[in-house]
């Protein structure tokens, strides 16, 4: 692994009055810098992740969304081995890498700055010259997911939507992915001197949320318009209304994607809603 790429990555992550956290899944072990990053990674064992743009007062606590001061990068996580178990690490580091580069080169998404092999797939990192402050997490997440969808269509691969979280940690090159034995080195596949403007993500997200709200309303009214007084089961009609989509669209809430309750048989679920912004109740 070229040492300069790792130092360059941390240099890109370093913003005035903000810090770069380095550690495991749930803990922060070191606040790193471009001068110490390579030694810092060597000190840590097993999985090592980084997160930039963290408010200094957060210290050694694993940062949450509220602890992110500015964002100057995003990354997309393509878990290639999950969908293509027949592909080896060498296949991903050669054939898949070249495919990604070729497909993206003449598109706006060809402006990735770092391409990293994670042990399971590829991380595409995009950096902006000018950092941005996330004013609306919901719009940011929606804008990110629109970009992710664009990439999925171009590359014909699925990406992890959880990376839309502004405090999402990423595997650090030079460390190891220890999910399986033997551990696999996380390493740079390529780097290029290109920048990607992050300024418009929330605007994209706002437009996508408006589209989603209109679709949810349309579906709900279609259900209501199909209601008949002669319907044998009014419960059936009511039960089929897209309540989750309507609650999210009308109140500005969203399902958090992980907290679900199952009434035993596993066929029905209740989503937990996360209130946010001016529509908080």
């Amino acid at each position: 692994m070229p040492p300069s790429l790792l130092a360059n990555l941390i240099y890109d992550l370093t913003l005035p009055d903000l810090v770069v956290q380095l550690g495991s899944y749930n803990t922060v072990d070191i606040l790193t810098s471009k001068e110490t990053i390579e030694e810092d990674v060597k000190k840590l064992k097993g999985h090592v992740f980084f997160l930039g743009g963290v408010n200094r007062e957060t210290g050694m606590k694993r940062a949450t969304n509220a602890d992110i001061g500015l964002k100057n990068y995003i990354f997309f996580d393509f878990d290639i081995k999950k969908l293509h178990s027949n592909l080896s690490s060498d296949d991903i580091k050669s054939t898949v890498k070249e495919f990604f580069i070729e497909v993206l080169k003449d598109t706006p998404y060809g402006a990735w700055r770092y391409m990293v092999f994670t042990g399971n797939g590829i991380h595409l990192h995009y950096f902006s010259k000018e950092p941005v402050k996330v004013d609306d997490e919901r719009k940011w997440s929606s804008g990110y997911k629109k970009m992710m969808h664009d990439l999925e269509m171009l590359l014909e691969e699925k990406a992890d939507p959880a990376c839309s979280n502004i405090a999402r940690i990423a595997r650090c090159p030079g460390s190891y992915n220890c999910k399986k034995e033997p551990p696999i080195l996380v390493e740079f596949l390529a780097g290029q001197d290109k920048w990607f403007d992050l300024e418009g993500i929330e605007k994209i997200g706002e437009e996508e949320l408006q589209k989603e709200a209109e679709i949810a309303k349309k579906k709900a009214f279609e259900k209501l318009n199909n209601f008949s007084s002669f319907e044998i089961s009014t419960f059936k009609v009511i039960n089929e209304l897209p309540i989750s989509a309507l609650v999210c669209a009308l109140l500005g809430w969203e399902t958090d994607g992980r907290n679900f309750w199952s009434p035993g048989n596993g066929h029905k679920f209740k989503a937990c809603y996360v209130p946010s912004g001016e529509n908080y109740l």
Side-chain angles (χ1 to χ4, degrees):
M1 180 187 67
S4 59
L5 275 182
L6 184 53
N8 286 345
L9 171 65
I10 301 305
Y11 178 81
D12 286 341
L13 287 168
T14 303
L15 297 170
D17 301 319
L18 302 174
V19 298
V20 180
Q21 293 184 337
L22 203 65
S24 62
Y25 285 119
N26 299 313
T27 63
V28 177
D29 299 291
I30 297 171
L31 301 181
T32 193
S33 68
K34 65 180 185 297
E35 291 82 13
T36 63
I37 178 61
E38 291 171 58
E39 289 303 315
D40 290 342
V41 172
K42 290 177 183 177
K43 291 176 189 175
L44 302 177
K45 305 296 182 183
H47 302 283
V48 181
F49 300 86
F50 69 81
L51 176 61
V54 180
N55 290 322
R56 189 173 295 278
E57 57 267 27
T58 306
M60 305 299 285
K61 175 180 75 74
R62 171 60 74 199
T64 64
N65 286 358
D67 299 313
I68 302 300
L70 295 169
K71 287 292 290 184
N72 72 332
Y73 75 100
I74 56 175
F75 72 97
F76 298 89
D77 179 7
F78 294 90
D79 194 349
I80 309 295
K81 287 184 179 179
K82 186 174 183 180
L83 296 177
H84 308 282
S85 57
N86 59 312
L87 292 179
S88 67
S89 294
D90 288 338
D91 291 331
I92 295 172
K93 291 190 286 184
S94 56
T95 307
V96 177
K97 165 197 164 185
E98 294 303 324
F99 172 74
F100 273 33
I101 291 173
E102 180 64 25
V103 169
L104 297 178
K105 69 178 183 180
D106 294 323
T107 76
Y109 297 105
W112 50 269
R113 192 161 176 83
Y114 300 101
M115 185 180 293
V116 175
F117 172 65
T118 64
N120 288 321
I122 289 175
H123 281 182
L124 282 176
H125 292 269
Y126 293 82
F127 276 78
S128 175
K129 273 189 175 182
E130 297 298 327
V132 298
K133 181 170 179 58
V134 178
D135 294 315
D136 189 314
E137 292 177 18
R138 189 161 170 259
K139 290 177 183 177
W140 176 276
S141 177
S142 181
Y144 174 97
K145 288 174 182 175
K146 171 60 169 64
M147 295 168 62
M148 183 187 78
H149 176 74
D150 291 345
L151 278 167
E152 289 178 335
M153 294 298 100
L154 287 167
L155 298 171
E156 298 181 355
E157 292 290 345
K158 299 299 290 183
D160 185 355
C163 295
S164 63
N165 187 320
I166 63 173
R168 183 71 171 182
I169 55 178
R171 287 190 179 275
C172 187
S175 65
Y176 285 85
N177 185 326
C178 302
K179 285 184 176 179
K180 294 181 180 180
E181 290 293 335
I184 303 174
L185 178 66
V186 179
E187 57 186 307
F188 286 104
L189 296 180
Q192 55 181 3
D193 188 17
K194 292 189 176 182
W195 301 97
F196 190 92
D197 185 11
L198 300 180
E199 185 66 37
I201 288 186
E202 288 191 49
K203 178 62 177 174
I204 294 171
E206 183 178 11
E207 293 170 354
E208 289 301 304
L209 289 171
Q210 288 174 351
K211 291 177 186 176
E212 290 172 13
E214 289 304 315
I215 291 172
K217 291 174 186 177
K218 183 178 178 182
K219 286 183 177 179
F221 285 119
E222 284 175 353
K223 291 284 186 181
L224 290 172
N225 290 335
N226 290 332
F227 177 79
S228 169
S229 59
F230 298 102
E231 172 64 50
I232 296 175
S233 172
T234 55
F235 174 78
K236 178 176 181 295
V237 176
I238 295 171
N239 196 45
E240 289 180 357
L241 288 172
I243 298 300
S244 295
L246 276 175
V247 168
C248 292
L250 298 177
L251 298 181
W253 291 17
E254 59 181 305
T255 55
D256 64 12
R258 62 184 182 279
N259 295 311
F260 294 96
W261 169 80
S262 172
N265 59 18
H267 295 306
K268 292 184 179 180
F269 299 90
K270 286 187 176 180
C272 298
Y273 297 100
V274 183
S276 63
E278 62 183 14
N279 292 314
Y280 176 80
L281 297 179

